[in-house]
Structure formats: structure tokens, C-alpha cells
Amino acid sequence: MALSENGGVDDIGLGGRILPTTSTDKFFGEMATWFGVGSGDMPAVLPNLSNFSTEPDLNLLG
């Protein structure tokens, strides 16, 4: 089903769409730091993380 059609799987009513605002790489990057992955190892763990801005931090704990 095309995105422009009403009633598609991503339709939230009245033609609205859900658009993600946070990349999964950024989310998992913050989780990786919780588990002790250092900034020097981050490109090996999440090579696409550099495609996203580092500001603002997600502050999932704060």
C-alpha cells in the first residue's frame, strides 16, 4: 500500500503519519556507553553513528 493512501499500515488517522525523531543508532549509542563502550570503540560497534548529530544528548537517565 502506498504511503499516500489513507488506511495504510502507518496511518494514524486523518491522513497523519508517524515520523521517527530519534535514530536507533543514537539510542543504542547511549545504551552502549551505559555498558562501558568507550568513545574510541563506538565506531566499531555502531559505524553509522557518525551520520547523526551528537547534540542534544538523549539524556535517557537524566
Side-chain angles (χ1 to χ4, degrees):
M1 185 170 285
L3 289 177
S4 61
E5 294 180 26
N6 286 334
V9 295
D10 60 347
D11 192 356
I12 60 170
L14 301 175
R17 304 282 183 238
I18 298 174
L19 299 174
T21 59
T22 304
S23 73
T24 55
D25 286 79
K26 193 158 172 82
F27 177 78
F28 288 119
E30 186 157 333
M31 287 186 63
T33 58
W34 294 347
F35 287 104
V37 176
S39 60
D41 295 327
M42 200 63 72
V45 176
L46 295 166
N48 294 325
L49 189 59
S50 63
N51 295 333
F52 303 97
S53 69
T54 58
E55 297 295 329
D57 289 333
L58 296 178
N59 293 326
L60 297 176
L61 290 177

